[in-house]
Amino acid sequence: MTETVDTVEAPVRGETDVLKKIDALEAAAKAGNGRLDPVVLTEATQIVERSGQRLRMSGELTVVALAGATGSGKSSLFNALTGLDLAAIGTRRPTSSMPLACVWGEEPAGEVLSWLGIPRRHQVQHRSSLEDARAEDLDGLVLLDIPDHDSTEVEHRLIVDRLVELVDMLVWVVDPQKYADAALHNRYIKPYASHSGVMAFALNHIDKLTPDQRKSCLDDLERLLKSDGLKSPIVVATSAVSGDGLEEVRDLLVKRVSNKRSARERLTADVDRVADRMASQCGNAKTPKIDEADVSELVDALSDASALPVLVDAVQRSYLQRARAATGWPLTKWLGRFRPDPMRRLHVDQVSREQGKALRKSASNEVAIARSSLPAATPVQRARMDAAVRTITTKAAEGLSRPWADSVRSAIRRREESLGDELDQAVARTDLGGTNNPGWWGAARIVQWLLFAITLGGGVWLAALLVTRIANLSDPPLPEWNGIPYAWIMLVGGAVLGLAVSFVCRVFATNGAARRSRLVADALRTELEKVADSHVVAAAREELDAYTTCRDSLAIARD
Ligand SMILES: Nc1nc2c(ncn2[C@@H]2O[C@H](COP(=O)(O)OP(=O)(O)O)[C@@H](O)[C@H]2O)c(=O)[nH]1
Ligand SMILES: [Mg+2]
């Protein structure tokens, strides 16, 4: 019958359920690391560790501690329940300075007891005697008589605090004088309100009270516990002297021991408690999305600030100029040879592919410094960049709880600091095509020189003819083709063809320059997208991913 009552009280959790909760808590703590309150995170980590340890130990054992203030009757109850005269009582020794353990049954308890820190000489095995025929009901119980929580000895209080964290169930033994003690309620009951399923209260010394007093005392204690946050506190009136209520305590213990759930319930309550605290810091907001349009605006702003249009224009003009130098008609191109190369003027021509690669690896500043002739960002361009970063930051932090919003903001701020340098590097890393000339330029150059040689040949021929005429020498033979002298065909034909070839090359070069500048513009934009990503977007995304993990894991841990 008692089983049924218990089933209604708390959902039955298997070991895998508890493990799932513990794993989730661990994941949440990891994700929240550096973002949520370190005190709570440390507590969560400790609970994960402790739970793992307890679950690895015997699940057959149920560790119950009798805790309370000096003189409340812990040791007397311990003796009464064990049927032994083990615990030093009252005035014989002022306090039970060390915890004392009594183990019922054959289940080996050494591991659990050493984990609890209870020395061997303070451990006893309960031997069932003939008059104690029901002792088997308690097989698996490890009952602890622990020091007074209000002891004047710091060491005792530390032992109490540690055991309160570790045991599977706590029975708080209180007496009619001190049950309302603020220290007890504030320190040990209120903070463990979620543990009401694994806590019980024995109002001891009731033999000293009249029935009326007994009732009002019990009512008052129950009211107090409820106001501490305990949903349905288990309160038993006991007397270690008259034996009143001991049977009830015993039944309670039998129930706990037989269902073997107290350890898991305790761990579940621990996980719930710390997960609740983490959740109140973490919040439950939907994970904000980073808008592609905002990122694209940032890349535009970066492109503007790093003088990309100027650079792309220089690449195009440089290409055209070099094409003309290579493929133009030798006479006219000679005129243009003293015009400075637009890329060289910006000091962006030195980067060969190899340098670019080396830079990609070493991230040296050399080339970036050589590129200082690119116009620096104007205040307006910088403001646009800042505004784009702010927009992303604001939206990425929108709706998040304070710690996460802060972590998003500071993660972006940290990376943003190196944004300026990174822009220079990005330009330096990009392959601008430099002085790589297409193959056909060389062929065109040979054709041009051939044509020029023919033109020149015709010219020389005609000049020689002129000289012989002036000198009145005999006319040299002048071969003709259809009545036109070859010399003239060479001179005029060579020149016309040369100009025609240079015109055609110009058309191709214009296309080539446009293509090259487009490629470079794309390559630069890709680099800037990487910069925007690594310096702003990734920072936000990392925080948001951690937030999502933390929030979702906490939901599982609190489930
Ligand atoms: N009248 C009465 N005296 C009790 C009761 N329980 C304990 N005592 C006495 O209270 C004193 C302190 O008891 P003890 O078990 O040492 O308390 P502890 O400090 O909590 O371990 C002793 O003198 C006990 O005999 C009880 O239920 N009724
Ligand atoms: Mg004692």
Side-chain angles (χ1 to χ4, degrees), residues 69 86 168 244 342 455 527:
L86 287 168
D168 302 332
D244 277 354
T455 312
E527 281 302 326

Side-chain angles (χ1 to χ4, degrees), residues 455 458-459 461-462 465 478-479 484-495:
T455 312
W461 193 344
L462 286 174
L465 213 62
L478 191 59
I484 311 168
Y486 276 118
W488 280 106
I489 292 177
M490 282 167 70
L491 180 69
V492 177

Side-chain angles (χ1 to χ4, degrees), residues 40-109:
V40 185
L41 289 176
T42 307
E43 197 176 312
T45 316
Q46 282 167 353
I47 285 168
V48 168
E49 204 175 307
R50 195 197 304 152
S51 311
Q53 290 166 347
R54 179 66 186 93
L55 284 178
R56 257 176 267 125
M57 287 174 223
S58 176
E60 299 295 312
L61 297 173
T62 303
V63 182
V64 180
L66 298 171
T70 314
S72 60
K74 300 178 292 298
S75 301
S76 305
L77 277 180
F78 182 87
N79 286 346
L81 289 164
T82 56
L84 305 163
D85 189 13
L86 287 168
I89 293 176
T91 47
R92 269 196 270 160
R93 263 202 279 151
T95 52
S96 326
S97 59
M98 285 301 286
L100 189 64
C102 181
V103 183
W104 275 257
E106 302 302 320
E107 179 73 14

